[in-house]
Amino acid sequence: EIYAIRYGHLERTATHNFLGGDEHDGPMPLDYYVWAIVGERRSVLLDTGFDAATGAARGRTLVRPVADGLAALGIDPATLRDVIVSHMHYDHAGNHDLFPQARYHLQDAEMAFCTGRSMCHGVIRAAFEARDVQAMVGRLYAGRVVFHDGDSELAPGITLHRVGGHTRGLQIVRVHTRSGWVVLAADAAHFYANWQQRRPFPIVDDVSAYLEAFRTIEGLASSPRHIIPGHDPLVLQHYPAARAGVADIVRLDLDPLS
């Protein structure tokens, strides 16, 4: 089972979501998600979100704390053993104290990126939080970081794939479900439109790698409907609710509603 858990929101227009802007520039808000992958014996979390303080500092709305979203699914963050970090941007790598038992799975290239010379440039480091990076270094020295280089299998039915583009070491996750292979694209595509229209999001490390990632994503997924973008509010409309009365936690391992 895979659950998309919305925890944050940002009102904005389309010009902010495409490299080169958008001539129509109508409303195009972002939602912020973490993803719970639930198996028979254990659960794995993709990304850890941001906390209330970081959201307030960056002008983002915290819809529901990540811990509360996990609790709605019966998942205790303190018991999680594996957390995948797609990349080290502030909205994917925060909430440092929620997962005291977890090992963090990260690409070599991403750690080198967020601790290397690229961070000398303000425009590149703006989407990172120094304390997130510092926390990851602390986990490294505590023996709680597992590095991956390219493609690897985390567990049967869960594979990690470095695609880069948005950041140097961005990784996506492929999960085998009852409906086929689902690809959690994270920020390889913020919106369906970034992928379907081949129009990159404006925060990008390598435009060519960003565009080439779509070929990888399409090859890994069982079909286009098995591809899940990282920030699109449409995800909540396309997939069934995980719990009655909870509109912003949805099941991605079931057939879409539309």
Side-chain angles (χ1 to χ4, degrees):
E1 300 174 358
I2 311 175
Y3 298 88
I5 304 168
R6 185 179 76 136
Y7 72 90
H9 184 76
L10 176 64
E11 288 293 333
R12 64 193 290 167
T13 61
T15 195
H16 301 285
N17 297 329
F18 299 101
L19 188 65
D22 187 277
E23 62 181 3
H24 303 294
D25 198 26
M28 195 176 186
L30 283 102
D31 277 338
Y32 295 86
Y33 300 93
V34 298
W35 299 270
I37 304 165
V38 179
E40 292 181 357
R41 294 185 177 88
R42 64 168 170 167
S43 298
V44 175
L45 186 68
L46 171 59
D47 290 338
T48 58
F50 56 71
D51 59 19
T54 299
R58 289 180 175 265
R60 273 60 175 165
T61 300
L62 186 69
V63 175
R64 176 195 286 111
V66 168
D68 292 355
L70 291 170
L73 298 173
I75 298 172
D76 180 358
T79 66
L80 286 173
R81 295 290 181 174
D82 292 285
V83 169
I84 305 164
V85 177
S86 64
H87 63 299
M88 287 293 293
H89 279 172
Y90 78 93
D91 52 323
H92 297 261
N95 288 303
H96 307 137
D97 300 326
L98 280 185
F99 312 101
Q101 303 299 319
R103 301 176 302 170
Y104 284 70
H105 296 266
L106 188 69
Q107 288 285 333
D108 286 306
E110 187 67 7
M111 195 67 169
F113 183 51
C114 69
T115 58
R117 67 169 60 225
S118 293
M119 297 302 107
C120 295
H121 306 292
V123 69
I124 298 177
R125 68 172 181 263
F128 295 87
E129 285 283 338
R131 63 189 183 125
D132 295 342
V133 178
Q134 292 160 359
M136 193 63 75
V137 172
R139 294 185 197 104
L140 172 61
Y141 278 81
R144 294 178 52 211
V145 176
V146 179
F147 284 113
H148 299 264
D149 182 16
D151 300 345
S152 60
E153 183 180 66
L154 177 65
I158 303 176
T159 57
L160 312 180
H161 306 268
R162 187 183 73 235
V163 294
H166 178 61
T167 66
R168 196 75 47 87
L170 174 71
Q171 61 183 347
I172 60 175
V173 181
R174 184 193 196 209
V175 184
H176 191 256
T177 73
R178 70 194 72 201
S179 68
W181 286 100
V182 172
V183 173
L184 301 174
D187 285 9
H190 281 60
F191 295 88
Y192 286 104
N194 294 128
W195 152 51
Q196 292 169 342
Q197 299 174 22
R198 292 327 202 236
R199 298 171 64 195
F201 194 76
I203 299 175
V204 61
D205 174 57
D206 185 326
V207 173
S208 178
Y210 186 106
L211 294 169
E212 284 297 321
F214 296 136
R215 191 196 312 263
T216 300
I217 291 167
E218 290 166 347
L220 291 170
S222 289
S223 76
R225 68 182 178 84
H226 289 83
I227 297 171
I228 311 299
H231 289 272
D232 202 324
L234 290 175
V235 170
L236 299 180
Q237 299 178 29
H238 288 341
Y239 289 89
R243 297 287 185 272
V246 180
D248 53 4
I249 302 178
V250 296
R251 285 277 299 273
L252 303 176
D253 56 292
L254 301 179
D255 290 335
L257 301 173
S258 60

